[in-house]
Amino acid sequence: MAFTHDLIVLGGGSGGLAGAFRAARLGARVALLEPGALGGTCVNVGCVPKKAMWYAAQMADAQNLAHDYGFDLTPGKLDWPAFIARRTAYIERIHTSYRTRLATAGIEVVAARGTLVDAQTVEAAGRELRAPHVIIATGAHARRLDVPGFDLGIDSDGFFDLRACPERVAVIGGGYIGVELAGVLHALGAEVDLLVHSRLLRHFDDEVTDALVELLRVQGIGVHLGCSVQGLRRDADRLRVAASADLSDRRYDTVLWAVGREPNSAGLGLENAGVACDERGHVRVDASQNTNVPGIYAIGDVTAGPALTPVAIAAARQLAERVFGGHADARLDFSNIPTVVFAHPPLASVGLTEQAARGQFGADVHCYRSRFTPMPLALSDTSYKAFMKLVCAGADERVVGVHALCPGADEMIQGFAVALKAGARKADFDATVAVHPSASEELVLME
């Protein structure tokens, strides 16, 4: 049977779209299969609406700061329905842009879920499509826990359905989503408890996350570390959480589960093609995104790699260049990937944590730190200590990790990521003239 396409992409999220666009640009006939909204988690119930809510929370914080500065205003509450309408309109503009670009690129879009019949055949909406290359880019979904009353709470998808700020919220989970949504809800007026099973942001540098815990508590968020949650129950019109922490006096309007995500690998017919998955359901891939079946690849959150949108996009583009662009060695370098937790303020990181660096370099690791009050807050009635840290290794003190918890860290980390990729040393940081007064200058003034 003849091939109908050169490439079939299962999933129209950020990674799937990036792979489809790049392959089409390189001359491939591409079919993109997506049963839901284009853009996947990131655009619809992830990065984009989350960042929109973070900006709204920043505006709430700015009102209080402006009042401290002497502006004659009374901080007000967010008109959630009006803001959600703006957020929805923005996302729809993204959808429209995708549809236009897909049509211009000549990519066939099938609004249906694809199922592998064999290694080169995909069934979708009653049709059979065939191609020598298939990319699995179906993403992930919010994890559920088998505990009593789980459905009394909401997950991160449910957060985006809120049309008003709840008064009292328990956020269960200490990863990106838990920290970020706890911060947003608190800034917008909710009383928040953050219940964390072990450590906060356990893959980040311990010292930086300790600083974040301290800061969250100063802001008024109740952070409960080492807290095991056994379930939820309704108490009149509120919810109670059964947990190892003493929450006997706490009742919540909303409980938000942020306990991780699981790959969307079930129901794809992977077994029909012999595609291997790990024990958690992630599609197994090598460093070039190849599965164990020739011609089938996987990218993004359906794999066990870093669950970050830019990683999926970059991996997809490199894959397309290798398969269709003649670049046999093209693949994503997974080292020194910058990332940001959009807390208040943001926590930004690139490179190795101190604990990882010591595991790799032993005693030949040197760390530099700075604690300071950001100038905008020093002029207000409320302040906290920002924290920055450089992790260096070897006799030449090559910088192998940059970590920052301060206003603006989300924007400054991109440039420092370039420095790490270029192999910068502490001496190069020292030789760089500081921009004063700024927070970023702290990273080139550490002694």
Side-chain angles (χ1 to χ4, degrees):
M1 184 176 176
F3 291 127
T4 59
H5 300 82
D6 300 310
L7 172 67
I8 298 171
V9 181
L10 305 184
S14 300
L17 285 162
F21 283 131
R22 182 59 59 90
R25 182 191 300 178
L26 295 169
R29 296 172 301 159
V30 181
L32 179 75
L33 280 55
E34 173 52 65
L38 291 171
T41 296
C42 178
V43 168
N44 298 290
V45 288
C47 322
V48 172
K50 178 275 306 278
K51 189 67 181 290
M53 297 306 296
W54 186 79
Y55 280 129
Q58 291 289 89
M59 294 301 104
D61 286 339
Q63 290 184 90
N64 294 315
L65 189 61
H67 182 269
D68 288 349
Y69 273 41
F71 284 91
D72 184 15
L73 59 83
T74 301
K77 293 184 178 181
L78 174 69
D79 183 339
W80 276 58
F83 183 75
I84 298 308
R86 288 183 176 273
R87 190 185 76 192
T88 301
Y90 175 62
I91 292 172
E92 183 50 44
R93 291 196 294 273
I94 297 175
H95 293 160
T96 300
S97 173
Y98 280 144
R99 289 191 290 267
T100 300
R101 292 176 59 198
L102 287 163
T104 301
I107 297 170
E108 181 181 1
V109 179
V110 181
R113 182 181 177 85
T115 304
L116 286 165
V117 177
D118 57 42
Q120 298 181 329
T121 309
V122 176
E123 189 278 331
R127 296 174 55 194
E128 279 199 350
L129 308 177
R130 284 181 51 80
H133 303 284
V134 177
I135 296 177
I136 302 167
T138 48
H141 61 274
R143 179 184 175 217
R144 294 178 57 85
L145 295 184
D146 184 18
V147 297
F150 182 89
D151 289 330
L152 295 174
I154 62 174
D155 59 18
S156 56
D157 291 4
F159 168 82
F160 296 112
D161 290 332
L162 292 175
R163 291 299 180 267
C165 186
E167 290 183 19
R168 302 174 190 84
V169 182
V171 178
I172 302 172
Y176 285 82
I177 296 171
V179 171
E180 292 176 342
L181 298 190
V184 165
L185 287 164
H186 178 264
L188 292 177
E191 184 178 331
V192 179
D193 284 325
L194 183 60
L195 313 181
V196 184
H197 185 264
S198 55
R199 287 187 58 84
L200 198 73
L201 300 169
R202 56 191 177 88
H203 297 301
F204 284 72
D205 186 273
D206 288 348
E207 202 169 5
V208 182
T209 56
D210 286 346
L212 177 59
V213 169
E214 179 183 337
L215 191 153
L216 293 174
R217 287 172 172 162
V218 167
Q219 292 175 345
I221 295 176
V223 182
H224 303 268
L225 303 178
C227 178
S228 175
V229 174
Q230 288 87 45
L232 310 181
R233 65 179 176 86
R234 189 169 294 285
D235 182 359
D237 59 343
R238 298 274 171 79
L239 297 172
R240 287 191 182 273
V241 178
S244 58
D246 182 9
L247 303 173
S248 57
D249 63 337
R250 309 294 288 168
R251 295 194 303 160
Y252 303 100
D253 303 294
T254 300
V255 174
L256 193 156
W257 297 100
V259 290
R261 296 179 67 78
E262 296 180 341
N264 294 327
S265 57
L268 297 179
L270 300 181
E271 64 281 0
N272 298 330
V275 176
C277 294
D278 66 17
E279 62 280 359
R280 294 187 57 193
H282 294 107
V283 178
R284 293 185 184 275
V285 293
D286 64 14
S288 298
Q289 311 303 139
N290 300 307
T291 70
N292 62 306
V293 178
I296 299 183
Y297 321 94
I299 58 170
D301 293 2
V302 76
T303 73
L308 299 169
T309 293
V311 171
I313 291 172
R317 288 172 176 167
Q318 291 295 321
L319 173 60
E321 289 289 344
R322 178 167 62 85
V323 175
F324 299 107
H327 301 287
D329 297 325
R331 67 179 180 88
L332 177 61
D333 176 6
F334 281 85
S335 65
N336 292 330
I337 293 173
T339 186
V340 174
V341 179
F342 286 98
H344 299 263
L347 189 165
S349 176
V350 61
L352 300 178
T353 64
E354 179 181 349
Q355 51 269 35
R358 293 196 182 282
Q360 183 172 333
F361 299 103
D364 204 9
V365 172
H366 312 278
C367 295
Y368 298 85
R369 302 164 180 84
S370 176
R371 291 183 182 272
F372 61 98
T373 300
M375 185 174 176
L377 296 180
L379 296 168
S380 74
D381 295 335
T382 303
S383 65
Y384 55 74
K385 292 293 184 182
F387 181 75
M388 290 182 174
K389 181 175 181 177
L390 295 180
V391 181
C392 305
D396 61 348
E397 290 200 311
R398 182 167 59 90
V399 180
V400 296
V402 177
H403 311 280
L405 175 66
C406 69
D410 52 323
E411 296 294 345
M412 71 177 70
I413 199 65
Q414 191 74 74
F416 287 101
V418 174
L420 258 68
K421 279 288 188 183
R425 302 158 302 151
K426 178 65 167 58
D428 298 313
F429 277 50
D430 295 341
T432 301
V433 176
V435 175
H436 181 76
S438 71
S440 60
E441 69 179 315
E442 297 291 331
L443 286 168
V444 299
L445 296 175
M446 293 185 190
E447 297 180 351

